[in-house]
Amino acid sequence: MAQLWGGRFTKETDKLVYNFNASISFDQKFFRQDIEGSMAHVKMLAKQSILSENEKNQILLGLESILTDAENGKLTITDEYEDIHSFVEANLIDRVGDVGKKLHTGRSRNDQVALDMKLYTRHEIIEIKELLKNLLDSILKIMEQNIDTYMPGFTHLQKAQPITLAHHMGAYFEMFKRDRQRLEDIYNRMNYCPLGSGALAGTTYPLDRDYTAQLLDFNGPTLNSMDSVADRDYIIELLSALSTIMMHLSRFSEEVILWNSNEYHFVEIDDAYSTGSSIMPQKKNPDIAELVRGKTGRVYGALMSILTTMKGIPLAYNKDMQEDKELTFDAIDTVKGCVALFTGMLSTLKFNKDIMKTSAMKGFTNATDAADYLVNRGVPFRDAHGIIGKLVLYCIEKDKALDELSLDELKSINPVFEQDIFEAISLETCVNKRITIGAPGPDAMKEVIQIYKEYLRF
Ligand code: ARG
């Protein structure tokens, strides 16, 4: 138990209290960011003549050596210190002597931890955005190859109207595109530097907060020192965005699971992404999709947890906020793993195009188009709806599809039908006539694919 703050205490901290309070087991995750922040702080202190050039150089060398040693395994982070901040400072003093004791001038662990957490999450946001880009790339690839792969579109999980696989995939492209944009928004909103806020009320040193912010690639310093050390909004926003990513992945997983079932058989999951059963030799289970769906609850839990932690905290810093870390780290790692694995599964997924097409041809997915055919020949839509409804009932009795009826059978229900009905309700026509932007028709789809390609260039 080594502490930075023993001065005003006459007794050792109880061991259980020490352990309960300590955060080093998890805040070592932002070890690198802690050092990066300290380096910027020291440079600023020297620029403002609070430290001499010589002191700055000694401290920077010490910090660099800690970083290198930790990275190549020469230095292990131990739980001898309560948090990563104490670990780095104590190590620095060991290495460079008394000058190391000047590192924490004009700084508190409150603004330090606020900075570290921002630096860490900011870096992770960029990584998650990159992973989402890979996912979008593989969705777009499927879209480009499947402009004319027909399948049923569903509402209420009932066959509704024919669409294409490109169109179905495009829906997910939109979702993950919004997810990426959400991450960008969060990045821009959070990108202000809290360092220099001190414990809560700033410091009496003539710090140059603009300079620190600039060194660390922030848009500027935060403008209220109390808010700076007490703000965890960006974590809540991030966990909300991560929850939304998981919700999208979970819906997608659910579809893959359904499509992979014996009943649908629309897709086949690659052997590398499925698992077997210990008892049933025939089984090939969609475990990855199921786990992604399952892990969604865990990320939602993190969001709910931080919201609840923050709701009763008076200004400014309170130790409750230490609870932001483990759950945020876990949520970030979970999302990164899920996006990467899902991308792998999706890009190796085999689509059974014939089965999808046959499925689209059955189930009366062209019934709306049949009604539209009548409307185009002067029948009011409500009447057309009724006529086609009767026709569907007739088909169910005869176990036939609408386009398998003879013209005579059609005419016996309504004389308006002519030979051109068959062309009008063919699967191809049903899709190809949907030409407005956002619809599955091939020209509209090509236009959208072009827009997506352009989007993915950045
Ligand atoms: N481990 C602490 C946290 O994560 C660091 C800040 C400690 N500040 C303090 N006043 N005890 O929040």
Side-chain angles (χ1 to χ4, degrees):
M1 301 202 294
Q3 284 152 338
L4 298 175
W5 40 260
R8 68 97 69 214
F9 288 78
T10 53
K11 252 169 119 182
E12 282 267 295
T13 318
D14 180 275
K15 183 75 182 138
L16 283 177
V17 172
Y18 181 84
N19 290 342
F20 187 67
N21 204 43
S23 51
I24 189 124
S25 63
F26 48 87
D27 64 16
Q28 55 182 274
K29 191 118 174 157
F30 49 52
F31 167 73
R32 182 189 294 268
Q33 285 78 12
D34 192 75
I35 291 187
E36 207 183 307
S38 287
M39 286 176 161
H41 183 62
V42 166
K43 286 180 193 164
M44 182 277 294
L45 290 176
K47 176 179 169 290
Q48 299 304 95
S49 306
I50 302 166
L51 290 183
S52 70
E53 277 299 300
N54 184 30
E55 288 169 332
K56 173 189 84 173
N57 291 335
Q58 287 185 59
I59 297 177
L60 286 181
L61 277 178
L63 289 171
E64 263 159 33
S65 71
I66 296 176
L67 194 58
T68 331
D69 287 354
E71 269 168 5
N72 54 35
K74 265 211 232 151
L75 174 68
T76 351
I77 300 172
T78 59
D79 58 8
E80 184 190 345
Y81 295 93
E82 70 169 292
D83 56 31
I84 192 64
H85 325 296
S86 321
F87 174 84
V88 171
E89 193 176 324
N91 239 275
L92 180 71
I93 297 167
D94 280 350
R95 286 169 190 239
V96 301
D98 277 355
V99 66
K101 294 182 181 168
K102 295 195 172 185
L103 168 67
H104 211 51
T105 313
R107 189 174 71 171
S108 153
R109 277 185 299 168
N110 295 353
D111 59 347
Q112 189 180 357
V113 80
L115 172 72
D116 292 0
M117 196 60 182
K118 268 196 177 174
L119 289 176
Y120 183 84
T121 47
R122 199 179 68 168
H123 174 256
E124 293 299 308
I125 285 178
I126 293 172
E127 297 225 324
I128 299 170
K129 268 186 63 191
E130 211 40 46
L131 288 168
L132 284 177
K133 188 163 190 276
N134 295 343
L135 175 57
L136 287 168
D137 275 330
S138 75
I139 294 176
L140 186 58
K141 200 174 276 168
I142 299 175
M143 290 179 72
E144 287 181 276
Q145 292 164 355
N146 291 285
I147 292 177
D148 54 5
T149 303
Y150 302 109
M151 64 178 283
F154 298 84
T155 62
H156 313 271
L157 208 53
Q158 307 270 324
K159 288 181 196 176
Q161 288 172 346
I163 54 161
T164 64
L165 180 55
H167 191 235
H168 199 113
M169 287 295 134
Y172 285 104
F173 192 101
E174 285 292 319
M175 291 179 231
F176 294 116
K177 183 179 75 172
R178 286 196 295 273
D179 287 333
R180 258 185 115 225
Q181 290 164 342
R182 247 186 291 279
L183 291 175
E184 273 161 33
D185 293 345
I186 296 168
Y187 189 104
N188 292 331
R189 203 165 18 255
M190 74 184 269
N191 201 24
Y192 292 88
C193 183
L195 201 63
S197 300
L200 77 162
T203 76
T204 53
Y205 299 93
L207 307 183
D208 184 346
R209 295 195 56 214
D210 284 294
Y211 184 64
T212 317
Q214 189 194 320
L215 286 178
L216 292 167
D217 255 335
F218 283 102
N219 291 339
T222 51
L223 297 184
N224 183 290
S225 59
M226 297 210 17
D227 180 56
S228 305
V229 295
D231 168 36
R232 297 294 181 274
D233 288 6
Y234 68 97
I235 293 180
I236 293 172
E237 286 189 43
L238 175 60
L239 289 175
S240 164
L242 297 186
S243 295
T244 310
I245 293 173
M246 289 305 293
M247 181 267 289
H248 291 151
L249 279 179
S250 186
R251 294 181 74 173
F252 208 162
S253 293
E254 172 67 9
E255 296 208 308
V256 170
I257 293 163
L258 277 174
W259 292 357
N260 183 64
S261 67
N262 303 117
E263 285 68 22
Y264 276 76
H265 207 53
F266 283 7
V267 298
E268 206 145 309
I269 299 176
D270 194 79
D271 275 5
Y273 287 90
S274 25
T275 52
S277 154
S278 62
I279 175 169
M280 298 165 282
Q282 83 283 13
K283 291 271 253 170
K284 211 178 123 180
N285 295 328
D287 286 30
I288 299 306
E290 289 171 11
L291 263 177
V292 169
R293 189 177 59 184
K295 283 179 192 288
T296 304
R298 189 161 153 171
V299 178
Y300 289 4
L303 172 62
M304 208 35 70
S305 171
I306 186 70
L307 278 169
T308 313
T309 297
M310 293 305 294
K311 74 180 259 299
I313 303 183
L315 289 176
Y317 176 83
N318 293 259
K319 190 76 172 199
D320 317 40
M321 291 177 194
Q322 181 167 289
E323 284 297 304
D324 63 356
K325 289 172 197 63
E326 285 162 287
L327 53 93
T328 303
F329 296 155
D330 182 71
I332 288 173
D333 292 344
T334 303
V335 169
K336 283 167 80 178
C338 288
V339 176
L341 273 162
F342 194 92
T343 304
M345 179 182 68
L346 185 68
S347 52
T348 51
L349 203 60
K350 198 178 132 270
F351 293 95
N352 295 326
K353 299 184 186 183
D354 290 343
I355 297 178
M356 293 166 97
K357 183 172 183 182
T358 311
S359 171
M361 289 167 77
K362 293 192 175 140
F364 308 105
T365 58
N366 52 1
T368 315
D369 293 74
D372 288 344
Y373 171 90
L374 293 175
V375 170
N376 285 328
R377 276 147 196 82
V379 182
F381 182 77
R382 196 45 58 208
D383 292 342
H385 188 285
I387 294 164
I388 304 299
K390 260 199 213 132
L391 211 51
V392 166
L393 209 56
Y394 176 83
C395 285
I396 291 171
E397 261 170 38
K398 303 273 174 203
D399 192 24
K400 280 183 173 176
L402 283 175
D403 40 1
E404 283 169 352
L405 296 178
S406 68
L407 188 56
D408 285 345
E409 284 174 298
L410 289 165
K411 278 188 174 295
S412 72
I413 299 224
N414 196 289
V416 178
F417 287 113
E418 293 299 341
Q419 187 59 36
D420 58 357
I421 176 67
F422 297 108
E423 166 69 20
I425 63 172
S426 79
L427 198 53
E428 288 76 6
T429 312
C430 289
V431 169
N432 294 353
K433 271 174 67 184
R434 292 182 152 75
I435 53 171
T436 51
I437 190 82
D443 290 339
M445 190 51 62
K446 280 179 200 155
E447 210 177 317
V448 167
I449 286 175
Q450 234 8 74
I451 296 170
Y452 289 173
K453 270 191 179 160
E454 192 56 33
Y455 168 76
L456 284 181
R457 282 182 51 221
F458 305 103

